[in-house]
Amino acid sequence: MTATRKTPWLLIVLLALLVVAASAGGTYLYLSQVDVAQAAPVANKPQAPRLVTVAPMTVNLSNQRDEPSLLYVGFALEVADDATQAQLTDYMPQLRSQLLTLVSGQDSTQLITPQGKAALAARILDALKQPLAPQQPAPALLRVLYTDFIVQ
C-alpha cells in the first residue's frame, strides 16, 4: 500500500515540475520577443546634431541715432560631418575673427527684431561657408544657432 500512495504524489510533483518548466520557457520566449520589438525603434533613432560651439563675444554696434550699443552673442554651428567639425575647431581663431568683423557692422535697431536675428544668422552662414584657408574645402554648415543674444 505504501507504493501505491507514493505514485500519485510522484505524478503530481512531476506534473507540477512540467508546468513550471513550460511556464518558464513561455516567459523566456515572450520576453525575448519583446526585447527584439523594443530594440528595433532604437536602431531608427535619429543621430544627434554635430555642434561646434563658438564662445560668446561682445561687440560694439552702430544705430541710426549714433548712440553706443553693445551686442553680447554666442553661437553654436550645426555641421554636416565630423570633418567639418574638426576643421572648424582647428580654425577657431580665424572663425571668431570673421564673426567679430561681420557682427560688429550690424545695426542695433534691426537686431532686436526676430527678422533681424534671422537675417544675421543667414549672413553668418553665408560668410562661414567660404573656405577658412587656401587649399581647404568649404565647411559643410547646416545652421547657426544662437546660444546667447543680448542687445544693450
Side-chain angles (χ1 to χ4, degrees):
M1 273 207 188
T2 316
T4 53
R5 283 190 180 184
K6 288 183 181 179
T7 305
W9 286 106
L10 184 60
L11 285 175
I12 292 172
V13 169
L14 287 175
L15 285 174
L17 287 175
L18 183 63
V19 167
V20 168
S23 174
T27 303
Y28 174 76
L29 287 175
Y30 174 75
L31 290 178
S32 65
Q33 289 175 353
V34 168
D35 288 342
V36 169
Q38 289 176 351
V42 173
N44 295 334
K45 184 178 176 182
Q47 183 180 0
R50 293 179 184 95
L51 299 174
V52 175
T53 303
V54 179
M57 56 184 74
T58 305
V59 295
N60 293 319
L61 298 175
S62 62
N63 62 23
Q64 297 167 350
R65 296 172 288 197
D66 290 330
E67 296 173 347
S69 297
L70 292 175
L71 172 65
Y72 177 80
V73 64
F75 304 101
L77 303 171
E78 186 176 353
V79 298
D81 53 26
D82 292 332
T84 300
Q85 189 174 20
Q87 179 186 12
L88 291 180
T89 303
D90 291 342
Y91 287 91
M92 187 58 69
Q94 289 92 331
L95 182 86
R96 284 185 54 84
S97 177
Q98 284 183 349
L99 288 172
L100 283 167
T101 304
L102 178 70
V103 173
S104 65
Q106 302 301 311
D107 184 1
S108 64
T109 56
Q110 292 176 354
L111 287 180
I112 58 175
T113 66
Q115 296 84 6
K117 291 177 181 129
L120 178 61
R123 277 179 269 183
I124 290 170
L125 193 60
D126 289 339
L128 295 182
K129 284 189 175 181
Q130 304 304 315
L132 295 168
Q135 310 295 325
Q136 286 281 337
L141 294 172
L142 302 175
R143 290 194 294 177
V144 174
L145 306 167
Y146 293 116
T147 56
D148 301 297
F149 201 95
I150 300 171
V151 177
Q152 189 175 26

